[in-house]
Amino acid sequence: MFDFERATDYIRSLELPGSALCEEIQKDALAGDVPIIRPETASFLLFLISLKKPLSILEVGTTIEKYPPRIEEAKRNFARAPRGCDITLLEGDAADILKTLDKPYDLIFMDAAKGQYIHFLPDVLRLLAPDGLLFSDNVLQDGDVLESRFAVTRRNRTIHSRMREYLTMLTHTPELTTSVIPIGDGVSLTMKKNTEEM
């Protein structure tokens, strides 16, 4: 039987440290109990960005933020980043902000409140450029999504059912091509088909 935890430990042992700034941000996040992307997921995302070379990226998470302390922290981190001037911080609730956006994005990184993914999806797909990539993090919810609804603690059942609905929508919508990958806490990669080529 494949030992997923052992494989993850080994993959993490191969990782090289990030930049000094990234390492410092990660250390601060861990100290402040702020959830961050897992190292193996970050490497995979960086690989895809290198491969796809997106010109426009939307992150539904830190670059759309409504929690004031995290807004201030994001501003500080962006100010220290080498390309920080290229980042636009959108302050407010993602459900409201997504409706106001209209330019297409080559890459959308979904890493917000997990129970809201399904509610954000219509606007996210509207904003995703043809042949664009939607990268959704934490879709397996530490294995909870694999379990029966009744095997999950009561407080997690709403997230469980909404995430299952989200994954079903991504994998059963004809205009999309989706792969769910058990890396980190689970990611899904979704390509929006270019209807002009169909």
Side-chain angles (χ1 to χ4, degrees), residues 117-161:
Y117 281 22
I118 189 67
H119 300 304
F120 298 156
L121 188 58
D123 281 312
V124 164
L125 292 179
R126 175 181 60 80
L127 294 167
L128 191 62
D131 293 327
L133 178 65
L134 168 60
F135 186 107
S136 305
D137 196 16
N138 304 114
V139 297
L140 296 181
Q141 288 286 281
D142 286 320
D144 277 0
V145 170
L146 311 176
E147 302 297 334
S148 154
R149 180 177 188 275
F150 300 103
V152 179
T153 59
R154 184 178 296 273
R155 66 185 173 91
N156 289 334
R157 286 184 185 164
T158 299
I159 293 174
H160 174 272
S161 62

Coordinates of all heavy atoms in Angstrom, one line a residue, residues 117-161:
Y117 N -16.2 28.3 -2.1 CA -15.7 28.0 -3.4 C -16.9 27.9 -4.4 O -16.8 28.4 -5.5 CB -14.9 26.7 -3.5 CG -13.4 26.8 -3.0 CD1 -13.0 27.8 -2.2 CD2 -12.5 25.8 -3.4 CE1 -11.7 27.9 -1.7 CE2 -11.2 25.9 -3.0 CZ -10.8 26.9 -2.1 OH -9.5 26.9 -1.7
I118 N -17.9 27.1 -4.0 CA -19.0 26.9 -4.9 C -19.8 28.1 -5.3 O -20.3 28.3 -6.4 CB -19.9 25.8 -4.3 CG1 -21.0 25.3 -5.4 CG2 -20.6 26.2 -3.0 CD1 -20.4 24.6 -6.6
H119 N -19.8 29.1 -4.3 CA -20.5 30.3 -4.5 C -19.7 31.3 -5.4 O -20.3 32.1 -6.1 CB -20.8 31.0 -3.2 CG -21.7 30.2 -2.3 ND1 -22.9 29.7 -2.7 CD2 -21.5 29.7 -1.1 CE1 -23.5 29.0 -1.7 NE2 -22.6 29.0 -0.7
F120 N -18.4 31.2 -5.3 CA -17.5 32.0 -6.1 C -17.4 31.5 -7.6 O -17.0 32.3 -8.5 CB -16.1 32.1 -5.6 CG -16.0 32.7 -4.2 CD1 -14.9 32.4 -3.4 CD2 -16.9 33.6 -3.7 CE1 -14.8 32.9 -2.1 CE2 -16.8 34.1 -2.4 CZ -15.7 33.8 -1.6
L121 N -17.7 30.3 -7.8 CA -17.4 29.6 -9.1 C -18.0 30.3 -10.3 O -17.3 30.5 -11.3 CB -17.8 28.1 -9.0 CG -17.4 27.3 -10.2 CD1 -15.9 27.3 -10.4 CD2 -17.9 25.8 -10.1
P122 N -19.3 30.7 -10.3 CA -19.8 31.4 -11.5 C -19.0 32.6 -11.9 O -18.7 32.7 -13.1 CB -21.3 31.7 -11.1 CG -21.6 30.8 -10.1 CD -20.4 30.5 -9.3
D123 N -18.7 33.4 -11.0 CA -17.9 34.6 -11.3 C -16.4 34.2 -11.7 O -15.9 34.8 -12.6 CB -17.9 35.6 -10.2 CG -19.1 36.4 -10.1 OD1 -19.6 37.0 -11.2 OD2 -19.7 36.5 -9.0
V124 N -15.9 33.3 -11.0 CA -14.5 32.8 -11.3 C -14.5 32.3 -12.8 O -13.5 32.6 -13.5 CB -14.0 31.8 -10.3 CG1 -12.8 31.0 -10.8 CG2 -13.7 32.5 -9.0
L125 N -15.4 31.5 -13.2 CA -15.4 31.0 -14.5 C -15.7 32.1 -15.5 O -15.1 32.0 -16.7 CB -16.5 29.9 -14.7 CG -16.2 28.6 -13.9 CD1 -17.3 27.6 -14.0 CD2 -14.8 28.0 -14.2
R126 N -16.5 33.0 -15.2 CA -16.7 34.2 -16.1 C -15.4 35.0 -16.3 O -15.2 35.4 -17.4 CB -17.8 35.1 -15.5 CG -18.0 36.4 -16.2 CD -19.1 37.2 -15.6 NE -18.8 37.6 -14.2 CZ -17.9 38.7 -13.9 NH1 -17.4 39.4 -14.8 NH2 -17.7 39.0 -12.6
L127 N -14.6 35.0 -15.3 CA -13.3 35.8 -15.3 C -12.2 35.0 -15.9 O -11.1 35.6 -16.3 CB -13.0 36.3 -13.9 CG -13.9 37.3 -13.3 CD1 -13.6 37.5 -11.9 CD2 -13.9 38.7 -14.1
L128 N -12.3 33.7 -16.0 CA -11.2 32.9 -16.5 C -11.1 33.0 -18.0 O -12.1 32.7 -18.7 CB -11.4 31.4 -16.1 CG -10.3 30.4 -16.3 CD1 -9.1 30.8 -15.4 CD2 -10.7 29.0 -15.9
A129 N -10.0 33.3 -18.5 CA -9.8 33.5 -20.0 C -9.9 32.1 -20.6 O -9.7 31.1 -20.0 CB -8.4 34.1 -20.2
P130 N -10.3 32.1 -21.9 CA -10.2 30.8 -22.7 C -8.8 30.2 -22.6 O -7.8 30.9 -22.7 CB -10.6 31.2 -24.1 CG -11.4 32.5 -23.9 CD -10.8 33.2 -22.7
D131 N -8.8 28.9 -22.3 CA -7.5 28.2 -22.1 C -6.8 28.7 -20.8 O -5.7 28.3 -20.5 CB -6.5 28.4 -23.3 CG -7.0 27.7 -24.5 OD1 -7.6 26.7 -24.4 OD2 -6.7 28.3 -25.6
G132 N -7.6 29.4 -20.0 CA -7.1 29.8 -18.7 C -7.1 28.7 -17.7 O -7.7 27.7 -17.9
L133 N -6.3 28.8 -16.6 CA -6.2 27.7 -15.6 C -6.7 28.2 -14.3 O -6.3 29.3 -13.8 CB -4.7 27.4 -15.5 CG -4.3 26.3 -14.4 CD1 -4.9 25.0 -14.8 CD2 -2.8 26.2 -14.3
L134 N -7.6 27.4 -13.7 CA -8.1 27.6 -12.3 C -7.4 26.6 -11.4 O -7.6 25.4 -11.6 CB -9.6 27.5 -12.3 CG -10.3 27.4 -10.9 CD1 -10.0 28.6 -10.1 CD2 -11.8 27.1 -11.0
F135 N -6.7 27.1 -10.5 CA -5.9 26.2 -9.5 C -6.6 26.4 -8.2 O -6.6 27.5 -7.6 CB -4.5 26.7 -9.4 CG -3.5 25.8 -8.6 CD1 -2.6 25.0 -9.2 CD2 -3.6 25.8 -7.2 CE1 -1.7 24.2 -8.5 CE2 -2.7 25.1 -6.5 CZ -1.8 24.3 -7.1
S136 N -7.3 25.3 -7.7 CA -8.0 25.4 -6.4 C -7.3 24.6 -5.4 O -7.0 23.4 -5.6 CB -9.5 24.8 -6.6 OG -10.1 25.5 -7.6
D137 N -7.0 25.2 -4.3 CA -6.2 24.5 -3.2 C -7.1 24.0 -2.1 O -8.3 24.5 -2.0 CB -5.2 25.5 -2.6 CG -4.1 24.8 -1.8 OD1 -4.0 23.6 -1.9 OD2 -3.4 25.5 -1.0
N138 N -6.7 23.0 -1.4 CA -7.4 22.4 -0.2 C -8.7 21.7 -0.5 O -9.6 21.7 0.3 CB -7.6 23.5 0.9 CG -6.3 24.2 1.3 OD1 -6.2 25.4 1.0 ND2 -5.4 23.5 1.9
V139 N -8.8 21.2 -1.7 CA -10.1 20.6 -2.1 C -10.4 19.2 -1.5 O -11.5 18.8 -1.5 CB -10.2 20.5 -3.7 CG1 -10.1 21.8 -4.3 CG2 -9.1 19.5 -4.3
L140 N -9.4 18.6 -0.9 CA -9.6 17.3 -0.2 C -9.8 17.5 1.3 O -10.1 16.5 2.0 CB -8.5 16.3 -0.5 CG -8.4 15.9 -2.0 CD1 -7.3 14.9 -2.2 CD2 -9.7 15.4 -2.5
Q141 N -9.6 18.7 1.8 CA -9.9 19.0 3.2 C -9.4 18.0 4.2 O -10.1 17.4 5.0 CB -11.4 19.1 3.4 CG -12.1 20.3 2.7 CD -11.8 21.6 3.6 OE1 -12.4 21.8 4.5 NE2 -10.8 22.3 3.1
D142 N -8.1 17.8 4.2 CA -7.4 16.8 5.1 C -8.1 15.4 5.0 O -8.2 14.7 6.0 CB -7.4 17.3 6.5 CG -6.4 18.4 6.7 OD1 -5.3 18.3 6.1 OD2 -6.6 19.4 7.4
G143 N -8.6 15.0 3.9 CA -9.2 13.7 3.7 C -10.7 13.7 4.0 O -11.4 12.7 3.7
D144 N -11.3 14.8 4.6 CA -12.7 14.8 4.9 C -13.6 14.6 3.7 O -14.6 13.9 3.8 CB -13.1 16.1 5.6 CG -12.8 16.1 7.1 OD1 -12.3 15.1 7.6 OD2 -13.1 17.1 7.7
V145 N -13.2 15.1 2.6 CA -14.0 15.1 1.3 C -14.2 13.6 0.9 O -15.2 13.3 0.3 CB -13.4 16.0 0.2 CG1 -14.1 15.8 -1.1 CG2 -13.6 17.4 0.6
L146 N -13.2 12.8 1.2 CA -13.3 11.4 0.8 C -14.3 10.6 1.6 O -14.8 9.5 1.2 CB -11.9 10.7 1.0 CG -10.7 11.5 0.4 CD1 -9.4 10.7 0.7 CD2 -10.9 11.6 -1.1
E147 N -14.6 11.1 2.8 CA -15.5 10.4 3.7 C -17.0 10.6 3.5 O -17.4 11.6 2.8 CB -15.2 10.9 5.2 CG -13.7 10.7 5.6 CD -13.3 9.2 5.6 OE1 -14.2 8.3 5.8 OE2 -12.1 9.0 5.5
S148 N -17.8 9.7 4.0 CA -19.2 10.0 4.0 C -19.5 11.2 4.8 O -18.8 11.6 5.8 CB -19.9 8.8 4.7 OG -21.2 9.1 5.2
R149 N -20.6 11.9 4.5 CA -21.0 13.1 5.2 C -21.2 12.9 6.7 O -20.9 13.7 7.5 CB -22.4 13.6 4.6 CG -22.9 14.9 5.2 CD -24.2 15.3 4.5 NE -24.6 16.6 5.0 CZ -25.4 16.8 6.0 NH1 -25.7 15.8 6.8 NH2 -25.7 18.0 6.4
F150 N -21.6 11.7 7.0 CA -21.9 11.4 8.4 C -20.6 11.0 9.2 O -20.6 10.8 10.4 CB -23.0 10.3 8.5 CG -24.2 10.8 7.9 CD1 -24.6 10.3 6.7 CD2 -25.0 11.7 8.6 CE1 -25.8 10.8 6.1 CE2 -26.2 12.2 8.0 CZ -26.6 11.7 6.7
A151 N -19.5 10.7 8.5 CA -18.2 10.4 9.1 C -17.5 11.7 9.4 O -16.4 11.6 10.1 CB -17.4 9.5 8.2
V152 N -18.0 12.8 9.0 CA -17.3 14.1 9.2 C -18.0 14.8 10.4 O -19.2 14.7 10.6 CB -17.5 15.0 7.9 CG1 -16.9 16.4 8.1 CG2 -16.9 14.3 6.7
T153 N -17.2 15.5 11.2 CA -17.8 16.2 12.4 C -18.9 17.2 11.9 O -18.8 17.7 10.8 CB -16.7 17.0 13.1 OG1 -16.1 18.0 12.3 CG2 -15.6 16.1 13.7
R154 N -19.9 17.3 12.7 CA -21.1 18.1 12.4 C -20.7 19.5 11.9 O -21.2 20.0 10.9 CB -22.0 18.2 13.6 CG -23.3 18.9 13.3 CD -24.2 19.0 14.5 NE -24.7 17.7 14.8 CZ -25.7 17.1 14.3 NH1 -26.4 17.7 13.4 NH2 -26.1 15.9 14.8
R155 N -19.7 20.2 12.5 CA -19.3 21.5 12.2 C -18.7 21.6 10.8 O -18.6 22.7 10.2 CB -18.4 22.2 13.2 CG -17.1 21.5 13.4 CD -16.3 22.2 14.6 NE -15.1 21.4 14.8 CZ -13.9 21.7 14.3 NH1 -13.8 22.7 13.4 NH2 -12.9 21.0 14.6
N156 N -18.2 20.5 10.3 CA -17.5 20.5 8.9 C -18.4 19.9 7.8 O -18.0 19.9 6.7 CB -16.2 19.6 9.0 CG -15.1 20.3 9.8 OD1 -15.1 21.5 9.9 ND2 -14.2 19.5 10.3
R157 N -19.6 19.6 8.1 CA -20.5 19.0 7.1 C -20.9 19.9 6.0 O -21.0 19.5 4.9 CB -21.8 18.4 7.8 CG -21.4 17.1 8.5 CD -22.7 16.4 9.1 NE -22.3 15.3 9.9 CZ -23.0 14.7 10.8 NH1 -24.3 15.1 11.0 NH2 -22.6 13.7 11.5
T158 N -21.1 21.2 6.3 CA -21.4 22.1 5.3 C -20.3 22.3 4.3 O -20.5 22.2 3.1 CB -21.8 23.5 5.9 OG1 -23.0 23.3 6.7 CG2 -22.2 24.5 4.8
I159 N -19.1 22.5 4.8 CA -17.9 22.6 3.9 C -17.7 21.3 3.1 O -17.5 21.4 1.9 CB -16.6 22.9 4.8 CG1 -16.7 24.2 5.4 CG2 -15.4 22.7 3.9 CD1 -15.6 24.6 6.3
H160 N -17.9 20.1 3.8 CA -17.8 18.9 3.1 C -18.8 18.8 1.9 O -18.3 18.5 0.8 CB -18.1 17.7 4.1 CG -18.2 16.4 3.5 ND1 -19.3 15.8 3.0 CD2 -17.2 15.4 3.4 CE1 -19.1 14.6 2.6 NE2 -17.8 14.3 2.8
S161 N -20.0 19.1 2.1 CA -21.0 19.0 1.0 C -20.8 20.0 -0.1 O -20.9 19.7 -1.3 CB -22.4 19.0 1.5 OG -22.7 20.3 2.1

